Amino acid sequence: MNAHSENHDSHGLSTKLTLSVWVWLLVLTGIEVFLAYIQLSLTLMLVLLMGLSLVKAALIMAYFMHLRFEKRTLVLTLIPALLVVASTLSVFFPDSVRLLHMKPW
Amino acid sequence: MSDTSHAHQVHAAPTGFIRKYVFSLDHKIIGIQYYFLALIAVFLGMALSLIFRLRLAWPAEHWPMLAKIFPAGFEGGPMTPEFYLSMLTMHGTIMVFFVLTTAPQSGFGNYVLPIQVGAHDMAFPVLNMLSFWVTFVSMVVMVAALFVEGGAPISGWTAYAPLSALGQVAGPGQGLGQTLWIVSIAIFCLASLLGALNFITTVLNMRAKGMSLMRMPLTVWTWFTTAILALLSFPVLLAGGILLLFDRIGGTSFFIPAGLVVSDKVIQHAGGSPILWQHLFWFFGHPEVYIAILPGMGVTSQLLSTFARKPIYGYRAMVYAVFAIGLLGFFVWGHHMFLSGLSPMSALVFSMLTLTIGVPSAVKTFNWLGTLWGGKIRFTSPMLYAIGFVSLFVSGGITGIFLGQTSVDIPLHDTYFPVGHFHLIMGVAAIFGIFGGTAYWFPKMFGRMMNETLGKIHFWLTFIGVNAIFMPMHTMGIMGQPRRYAQSTEFLYLAGVQGYQVVITWAAILTAAAQLIFLVNLFWSLFKGRKASDNPWEATTLEWSIPSPPPHDNFGGKIPVVHHGPYEYGVPGAPRDFVMQADPPLKLGKA
Amino acid sequence: MANVHAESLRMPEWEGGVLPYSVGHKKLGMWLFIVSDALTFSALLFGYSYLRVSTPNWPTPFHLWPSIAFSTLMTFCLLSSSLTMVLGVNAAQRNDRAGTIKWILLTIAGGVTFMGLHLKEWSNLFQEGITLVSNPWGVPQFGATFFGITGLHMFHVFTGVLYLAGMAIGVSRGRYGAEHVEVCGLYWHFVDLVWMFVFPLIYLLSVKMH
Amino acid sequence: MARALAVLLWLITLGGIALFSGRHGWFPETISEHGPAIDAQFMRTLVVVAIAFVASQIALGWYVWRYREDREGDAVYTHGNTKLEVGIMLVVAVVFVALAALGQKVWAQLHLQDAPADAVQIEVTGQQFVWNIRYPGADGKFGRTDPKLINDQENPVGIDTKDPAAKDDVVSVNRMAIPVNKSIKVTLRAKDVTHSFFVPALRFKQDTTPGLVVPVHFKALKTGEYEIACAELCGLGHYKMKGYLMVMEDAQYEAWLKDRATN
Ligand code: HEA
Ligand code: HEA
Ligand code: CUA
Ligand SMILES: [Cu+2]
């Protein structure tokens, strides 16, 4: 019963790959900071930054957190559950817009 | 995770009293601890309900006995309205969190789930113990709120901001009591998270050989789904609770908008939104009500099948329905907020989605009836509770169909109509799940049978009683009686309501008295009950193939191999009228 | 009748003890914890966005120096500590105990640097008059969300550092193996991952332009 | 035992029907334009739900009665019937969607359409534990308000008298007069905590949320005096936060308003 305790080396992360992921993450961060200093509309900026952040999150999960090398089903249950529940939270927004336009004072 | 023992190693049976019964790692002891915690909570909650019901029926009466215990609540003679509200708030909170989230899931789930999947314990025994003790601390903090200076909180179990956020300016009970309430809830969230990930891991990783997903008893399915709901909804309440706490003691204003003037005092907070609190609360709150009912559904399925001596009707459909209810539960929270200033478009969407929950619920109801159909029903006391569950679930569920529609909710929202709705479905259907589970698993848990006669008397009185209490509330709601009113006599249009209040209070007193029968039965049977055999109900799931009560590691070192589905009753050609899950494969002669 | 029950009894066999995700208890448990904790942060970040949308004139006060420079450097620290963490896990899987401890200590160093920089950054802001409840721009929500969210993240970094320290001690005593280190690593990467959202949402979207 | 239980289940069913047949307690008579539509939707729902309720409870009782252990024959060995299952699902789904669709009309009319341009304007401000009613006066414009000017005795909603539009504003406590047969546009606000403006006779309820101004509209079709209740927990006086809605003939209403203005 310890199928889980080894066998990672076979498809584990080589140091080279790890380093290149790290470099990519830094590059993306750099792009984000750069973007922040360009005059863009807040919405566009939000979309771009969140897009990049999702890519970074995906990189971290896939490589650092090893999800790429786990069984596909693990990914297919965890990530959708998280995304579905988290994105339903965005139902909040129509109300915040209402709040902005319907303030008493 | 902080759990250091290797997960697969069976921990040896502890010997000292403390390690054995107090800080036990054994899922069975922890289950029992949870169960008794809930038992204390339910009697406390019930006592509170009787106290506040007194005021509803006889608003001007003096209660010298009570006044001695709670002098502050009876200043000037009759019960004060703020005392009414604090009793109500504590009643709702204790019942929802410490009874219905605790007994069916953490109590029975802890005790039975590992055995039913064929495991020697939960995946994380240390975490399991921690989650119980954290729950315990949470309950102590909650009960402390009853006795602190300034009184228990009065903003209802939903703690709507800004009432709950402003502190003492907003009225009595909003001081330390409210703060303790929030702290307790936040602690409770942590305990539930720990419990939930333990349940999920156990179900996924620790099933015995042959226990494929589609062979799991429906109880396991419901505990599993409930754990997923808890894992995904409690963190949101936790976030909300942290922010509310910041507002109260950190001086922030997440939920307090600008320009409030309370009793002529200008409030310095600015910029927050009360609606945000409602969103965060109900995002948790709606899944929470399914957390309360799903285990009851599982228990009911198990009992109906066992005592009708028939396989459950539509097993797969039942599994899918449970999952559908759980999933849909995340998309409907807005139905509690139709009239709160929610955007009217989202209200329409929430309304449509709410009604769709009726579909899997209909499937469940239909299959329960299908299970009874053509059976050979044994009317034991657990079975009576299960039948009661079905009846109450239907009565309470269909009133949700009124509330789920935006337009019909306009006159009914925040009246006694929803109060009737949720008491029938949660206050008693789910509670009947606990009763059924208690009567059913008691022999396994304590090695003795409960008394059938007492059980039956208790069933009859309670079943009649709760219908008498909660059915008339719908009428009061239709007449327009708002909830959380300390009395109904201030309004002319409510003239017809007072009579109902008196009848309901009497019914509540009698029903509550009938619960003493349950209590007596429980404790009497604990010590004096008839010795139980291993399988007194001739049931099929794994817990019935081991001794009553089970040994420390459940299966005495030999994990069973499962060959059959969970509900094989009345199998034609089988040697007995039931085939247990661990029975060897049947030789099937072609008929 | 007979064909009915024949159908029900011949189910595909499930070999007990086979982990459906091929993931041990601890790792699965940690993943579940991470999902749930991620939702706590999602709720907070959505709450922040909600308040920001509903507030006119949300301030954008962060200068390149010190705030953005600091926070970028902090991002660098966390990302690098994630890198060292991966190397630590690799070392643990090679049973290289000394290597494991070395990399974990480096990871801790990254975390501690992050905390130091963050504390400095907070005190800079205090000096500018930004506190939990007030700030120079009259939008009290700004400070509240800023300190609320970064504070909770800091709390996670702090517990993560403690967790790592416990791990280093455990490994040096031979009590913890590769699986423990890996699970601890998951938590640490998660703390990093959360920052990947906090940084742009809280800092980069509040950059002062001119 | 089984028979008694069956009978009890049927008695409960009967009791439920009796309660909902409305002889003892029912909605107060509706006086608003949209009220009948809500009542009708309630009745439609009641019919659908009653059928489901009665069918389920009767069946439950019947099975309990019929399939006792001591009956003849064996238990039926079956694992269900997928076709039947899917059938039930589809029927229920269609019924629900139809029901929900029918009910949304009133909601849309109340909340998605604006009040007609000629609607009478009134502002209602909830406060622990009174209702403050404000009329814009002859100029048809509400004057500016400011929380700092609020004073419970003299200036409960904080009208800024420096604003010319505020000069003719009329404030009334707990008494809200409206003309009959005219569209009324109510602006709901709250001063301290959340309240809910509830007029049972109007079939109308809407929370007054602090920090949010919610515009709503309705039309009353019958003169008379009706009670306004508070339907959101707002503190210890929640149960006695009472106001009156006085629906008047036009002339009477004008007179009332004039009378208030001179005071
Ligand atoms: C165990 C708890 C539980 C459960 C299971 C439910 C189940 C449901 N609830 Fe309930 N609800 C609560 C607990 C629960 N509720 C609580 C505590 C509150 C109040 C909170 C507060 O404000 O304090 C509340 C409030 C509440 C509201 C808000 C009311 C208001 O404040 O105005 C609404 C509105 O949509 C609602 C709807 C529903 C619906 C549609 C279901 C459905 O899931 C029900 C589905 C079941 C059936 C429909 C019956 C069986 C089906 C059939 C017999 C098939 C055939 C049926 C038909 C064709 C009609 N509930
Ligand atoms: C589980 C949930 C639950 C239960 C069981 C009950 C039980 C009861 N409730 Fe309560 N109630 C709530 C949940 C519950 N309630 C909630 C959430 C609110 C809303 C609070 C708010 O507005 O903020 C509320 C509000 C509420 C009101 C509304 C008051 C108002 O709005 O002003 C009233 C009024 O009469 C009431 C009455 C009662 C009565 C008489 C009982 C009972 O006393 C009936 C008799 C009890 C039983 C039949 C159960 C006995 C169970 C056992 C003995 C089980 C034992 C075993 C174990 C647990 C291990 N309750
Ligand atoms: Cu105002 Cu309740
Ligand atoms: Cu709900």
Side-chain angles (χ1 to χ4, degrees):
Chain A
M1 277 277 272
N2 37 20
H4 50 277
S5 55
E6 71 280 294
N7 290 342
H8 283 301
D9 335 39
S10 50
H11 41 220
L13 218 43
S14 73
T15 310
K16 210 174 113 213
L17 186 57
T18 315
L19 275 172
S20 72
V21 171
W22 175 69
V23 170
W24 268 109
L25 286 167
L26 292 180
V27 169
L28 289 174
T29 307
I31 296 179
E32 283 185 344
V33 177
F34 174 71
L35 272 178
Y37 280 89
I38 301 182
Q39 299 274 8
L40 291 172
S41 79
L42 192 65
T43 337
L44 183 59
M45 179 100 99
L46 183 71
V47 171
L48 287 176
L49 286 183
M50 280 300 97
L52 286 173
S53 289
L54 283 173
V55 173
K56 283 161 70 179
L59 280 176
I60 292 180
M61 287 200 285
Y63 293 98
F64 289 179
M65 295 169 95
H66 248 226
L67 263 191
R68 254 210 75 185
F69 310 104
E70 307 289 359
K71 252 194 164 161
R72 187 73 56 80
T73 44
L74 181 68
V75 187
L76 287 184
T77 40
L78 290 179
I79 304 302
L82 180 59
L83 286 184
V84 166
V85 174
S87 52
T88 49
L89 287 166
S90 56
V91 179
F92 292 8
F93 286 112
D95 292 325
S96 60
V97 176
R98 266 166 80 79
L99 216 62
L100 176 63
H101 296 297
M102 294 160 71
K103 277 203 165 68
W105 3 69
Chain B
M1 287 149 315
S2 54
D3 163 23
T4 51
S5 72
H6 193 277
H8 290 291
Q9 227 161 267
V10 177
H11 43 83
T15 41
F17 178 81
I18 300 252
R19 294 295 311 281
K20 203 162 164 187
Y21 296 112
V22 183
F23 296 109
S24 174
L25 299 181
D26 183 347
H27 70 100
K28 296 188 286 301
I29 303 292
I30 296 173
I32 291 173
Q33 288 174 323
Y34 266 120
Y35 182 86
F36 279 100
L37 188 77
L39 191 69
I40 295 169
V42 83
F43 276 89
L44 180 59
M46 206 157 59
L48 299 178
S49 79
L50 292 185
I51 294 177
F52 71 69
R53 282 264 20 137
L54 287 180
R55 188 184 151 108
L56 286 178
W58 303 288
E61 246 342 273
H62 292 225
W63 308 98
M65 293 270 281
L66 283 171
K68 277 213 193 82
I69 313 175
F70 297 105
F74 293 83
E75 261 162 38
M79 190 185 299
T80 60
E82 59 269 28
F83 186 70
Y84 173 88
L85 289 175
S86 62
M87 292 292 109
L88 169 65
T89 302
M90 296 302 280
H91 164 75
T93 312
I94 289 178
M95 288 294 196
V96 170
F97 290 96
F98 297 100
V99 179
L100 277 192
T101 312
T102 300
Q105 174 77 5
S106 310
F108 291 132
N110 248 314
Y111 195 99
V112 181
L113 179 135
I115 315 186
Q116 279 194 340
V117 300
H120 58 80
D121 203 335
M122 283 288 200
F124 308 108
V126 176
L127 222 54
N128 206 11
M129 176 190 80
L130 270 178
S131 68
F132 170 76
W133 284 106
V134 175
T135 310
F136 180 82
V137 170
S138 160
M139 173 135 154
V140 169
V141 175
M142 185 60 76
V143 172
L146 269 175
F147 299 103
V148 293
E149 180 80 40
I154 64 165
S155 40
W157 84 282
T158 49
Y160 272 17
L163 184 60
S164 61
L166 284 174
Q168 241 131 6
V169 281
Q174 301 300 46
L176 185 55
Q178 183 73 56
T179 304
L180 287 179
W181 186 94
I182 303 169
V183 170
S184 165
I185 294 301
I187 299 176
F188 192 89
C189 292
L190 290 176
S192 299
L193 291 180
L194 298 185
L197 62 90
N198 209 345
F199 274 65
I200 299 174
T201 310
T202 307
V203 171
L204 286 175
N205 271 5
M206 297 190 58
R207 278 168 292 140
K209 186 168 156 62
M211 182 60 80
S212 58
L213 287 178
M214 285 296 154
R215 274 191 189 153
M216 294 196 316
L218 286 171
T219 37
V220 175
W221 271 112
T222 52
W223 285 319
F224 179 55
T225 314
T226 304
I228 298 176
L229 292 189
L231 189 84
L232 300 178
S233 66
F234 271 105
V236 177
L237 179 65
L238 180 62
I242 293 172
L243 296 185
L244 189 55
L245 208 57
F246 267 126
D247 273 9
R248 288 184 59 83
I249 58 185
T252 61
S253 32
F254 292 106
F255 305 127
I256 310 173
L260 293 193
V261 183
V262 184
S263 342
D264 258 359
K265 276 199 276 301
V266 181
I267 304 291
Q268 289 309 333
H269 293 261
S273 155
I275 309 245
L276 179 60
W277 166 259
Q278 298 186 16
H279 273 306
L280 291 171
F281 183 86
W282 288 118
F283 187 91
F284 147 82
H286 190 81
E288 163 66 19
V289 306
Y290 294 120
I291 291 176
I293 197 87
L294 284 176
M297 291 180 165
V299 171
T300 300
S301 307
Q302 171 104 1
L303 299 192
L304 289 180
S305 172
T306 304
F307 295 106
R309 313 309 295 167
K310 270 191 72 199
I312 192 88
Y313 197 84
Y315 174 87
R316 260 169 206 275
M318 290 301 244
V319 173
Y320 297 145
V322 167
F323 251 83
I325 292 176
L327 182 68
L328 285 171
F330 278 104
F331 304 113
V332 302
W333 80 87
H335 66 212
H336 297 273
M337 301 168 57
F338 286 153
L339 305 179
S340 67
L342 180 77
S343 113
M345 271 318 276
S346 14
L348 286 181
V349 178
F350 277 128
S351 170
M352 286 307 255
L353 286 167
T354 299
L355 289 208
T356 55
I357 294 198
V359 178
S361 304
V363 169
K364 301 230 69 144
T365 310
F366 181 74
N367 284 342
W368 286 325
L369 292 174
T371 306
L372 289 177
W373 167 78
K376 307 251 308 174
I377 304 175
R378 298 178 181 171
F379 289 94
T380 57
S381 53
M383 183 59 165
L384 293 178
Y385 293 121
I387 293 170
F389 179 99
V390 177
S391 169
L392 290 164
F393 177 74
V394 171
S395 305
I398 52 170
T399 50
I401 303 302
F402 292 91
L403 298 170
Q405 300 178 51
T406 43
S407 54
V408 183
D409 194 47
I410 294 176
L412 297 180
H413 172 68
D414 265 352
T415 65
Y416 267 60
F417 196 93
V419 176
H421 155 71
F422 70 70
H423 275 96
L424 277 185
I425 199 162
M426 170 172 87
V428 277
I431 290 272
F432 266 49
I434 303 183
F435 286 143
T438 307
Y440 181 67
W441 281 307
F442 190 89
K444 185 54 62 185
M445 291 162 81
F446 303 109
R448 292 176 186 274
M449 305 296 288
M450 283 180 89
N451 184 298
E452 275 290 303
T453 316
L454 287 181
K456 281 177 182 153
I457 296 175
H458 171 248
F459 165 78
W460 285 95
L461 292 178
T462 309
F463 190 51
I464 297 172
V466 293
N467 273 295
I469 303 174
F470 299 121
M471 279 279 196
M473 286 189 179
H474 296 94
T475 313
M476 291 164 60
I478 292 173
M479 291 161 81
Q481 166 70 54
R483 61 192 281 207
R484 295 162 170 175
Y485 265 30
Q487 64 198 57
S488 317
T489 49
E490 291 289 316
F491 286 80
L492 284 176
Y493 81 94
L494 295 177
V497 164
Q498 194 54 29
Y500 286 86
Q501 296 283 33
V502 176
V503 173
I504 290 176
T505 298
W506 277 116
I509 292 172
L510 295 178
T511 313
Q515 304 316 307
L516 296 178
I517 303 177
F518 173 78
L519 202 62
V520 167
N521 191 359
L522 192 75
F523 284 99
W524 184 83
S525 310
L526 211 50
F527 301 107
K528 292 272 157 61
R530 193 160 48 81
K531 278 262 186 301
S533 64
D534 290 356
N535 190 2
W537 311 117
E538 303 189 302
T540 52
T541 42
L542 289 180
E543 77 270 31
W544 302 108
S545 52
I546 57 174
S548 310
H552 175 72
D553 68 346
N554 298 345
F555 297 98
K558 289 199 297 286
I559 299 284
V561 178
V562 174
H563 296 286
H564 304 280
Y567 301 116
E568 292 300 323
Y569 294 100
V571 186
R576 290 184 293 192
D577 107 301
F578 61 104
V579 180
M580 298 186 70
Q581 286 201 278
D583 280 354
L586 287 185
K587 290 264 182 342
L588 293 172
K590 259 270 179 227
Chain C
M1 245 342 112
N3 45 2
V4 181
H5 67 238
E7 172 247 354
S8 75
L9 296 175
R10 285 199 204 115
M11 284 280 222
E13 282 295 313
W14 152 265
E15 297 296 319
V18 178
L19 311 171
Y21 293 135
S22 309
V23 162
H25 301 348
K26 288 198 178 56
K27 207 156 136 189
L28 184 56
M30 182 49 92
W31 267 111
L32 293 170
F33 174 79
I34 286 173
V35 166
S36 127
D37 211 26
L39 277 169
T40 308
F41 274 107
S42 308
L44 288 174
L45 288 171
F46 271 105
Y48 154 72
S49 318
Y50 179 103
L51 292 172
R52 185 162 176 172
V53 171
S54 68
T55 307
N57 307 321
W58 190 269
T60 49
F62 288 136
H63 295 277
L64 183 57
W65 182 262
S67 290
I68 297 300
F70 263 68
S71 55
T72 310
L73 195 59
M74 279 148 59
T75 311
F76 174 78
C77 287
L78 270 195
L79 282 174
S80 308
S81 74
S82 259
L83 174 72
T84 53
M85 191 70 228
V86 174
L87 298 175
V89 173
N90 285 352
Q93 276 164 357
R94 287 193 310 267
N95 276 331
D96 170 4
R97 206 190 274 183
T100 312
I101 295 174
K102 179 185 81 190
W103 289 119
I104 291 183
L105 288 178
L106 273 174
T107 310
I108 294 179
V112 170
T113 319
F114 175 91
M115 283 163 58
L117 286 171
H118 213 339
L119 285 173
K120 180 75 180 100
E121 155 71 357
W122 281 355
S123 77
N124 287 341
L125 293 177
F126 282 138
Q127 265 152 29
E128 282 186 55
I130 307 174
T131 67
L132 189 63
V133 293
S134 67
N135 54 57
W137 312 282
V139 180
Q141 254 45 22
F142 180 80
T145 50
F146 176 84
F147 287 109
I149 291 171
T150 55
L152 199 72
H153 181 261
M154 261 290 249
F155 176 71
H156 277 72
V157 178
F158 177 68
T159 48
V161 167
L162 291 186
Y163 190 2
L164 284 165
M167 195 52 55
I169 296 171
V171 170
S172 73
R173 297 213 181 127
R175 271 200 300 137
Y176 292 150
E179 195 195 2
H180 290 97
V181 180
E182 193 187 346
V183 170
C184 174
L186 283 180
Y187 180 78
W188 188 255
H189 295 310
F190 168 69
V191 172
D192 185 15
L193 191 151
V194 169
W195 184 254
M196 292 306 119
F197 291 90
V198 175
F199 172 58
L201 281 173
I202 302 276
Y203 279 97
L204 293 185
L205 284 178
S206 302
V207 161
K208 187 168 193 74
M209 283 300 178
H210 296 293
Chain D
M1 171 73 97
R3 296 209 167 131
L5 181 56
V7 171
L8 177 59
L9 287 168
W10 293 332
L11 282 177
I12 287 173
T13 316
L14 270 181
I17 296 173
L19 271 177
F20 275 84
S21 62
R23 282 235 242 85
H24 323 273
W26 201 245
F27 293 111
E29 185 199 354
T30 177
I31 58 153
S32 66
E33 192 183 37
H34 69 268
I38 290 187
D39 289 8
Q41 179 64 16
F42 184 90
M43 286 313 292
R44 274 193 286 270
T45 311
L46 185 57
V47 170
V48 171
V49 152
I51 293 173
F53 172 70
V54 172
S56 318
Q57 303 282 14
I58 297 276
L60 185 62
W62 171 241
Y63 293 163
V64 165
W65 178 295
R66 169 79 177 69
Y67 298 112
R68 299 180 317 268
E69 191 180 18
D70 51 13
R71 77 178 171 93
E72 306 208 328
D74 287 332
V76 182
Y77 183 77
T78 166
H79 285 93
N81 181 332
T82 315
K83 277 210 198 89
L84 208 59
E85 214 99 48
V86 175
I88 289 280
M89 248 178 69
L90 288 179
V91 171
V92 177
V94 167
V95 170
F96 278 159
V97 171
L99 195 61
L102 281 172
Q104 316 297 20
K105 260 215 314 273
V106 201
W107 180 263
Q109 182 198 325
L110 281 176
H111 286 277
L112 295 178
Q113 281 167 20
D114 287 335
D118 62 344
V120 177
Q121 306 247 359
I122 303 177
E123 182 192 86
V124 173
T125 306
Q127 171 192 342
Q128 285 179 335
F129 303 97
V130 290
W131 295 106
N132 299 294
I133 320 289
R134 177 157 71 125
Y135 295 84
D139 63 355
K141 274 203 217 101
F142 288 113
R144 229 176 55 77
T145 55
D146 186 335
K148 283 195 225 51
L149 299 172
I150 287 180
N151 173 315
D152 275 354
Q153 246 57 53
E154 265 105 56
N155 193 355
V157 292
I159 295 175
D160 182 355
T161 41
K162 286 199 271 325
D163 181 1
K167 288 273 177 332
D168 55 355
D169 282 10
V170 173
V171 176
S172 151
V173 173
N174 283 340
R175 306 214 141 239
M176 173 172 179
I178 59 167
V180 70
N181 286 329
K182 280 222 173 114
S183 282
I184 316 287
K185 178 178 174 193
V186 178
T187 312
L188 291 170
R189 346 180 14 163
K191 215 161 122 178
D192 36 36
V193 301
T194 312
H195 305 269
S196 190
F197 179 77
F198 178 29
V199 187
L202 280 179
R203 298 291 181 280
F204 192 82
K205 186 186 290 144
Q206 175 68 43
D207 285 6
T208 66
T209 307
L212 185 70
V213 175
V214 186
V216 292
H217 57 95
F218 54 77
K219 191 191 266 184
L221 304 180
K222 190 156 176 265
T223 56
E225 196 174 271
Y226 308 93
E227 282 163 314
I228 305 172
C230 176
E232 189 62 74
L233 177 56
C234 50
L236 63 100
H238 171 51
Y239 70 99
K240 54 179 182 192
M241 180 161 164
K242 179 162 73 163
Y244 294 94
L245 178 76
M246 299 170 298
V247 186
M248 301 172 173
E249 296 296 347
D250 251 359
Q252 213 186 343
Y253 165 74
E254 297 297 340
W256 182 86
L257 209 56
K258 198 166 282 153
D259 185 45
R260 301 288 318 178
T262 49
N263 280 348

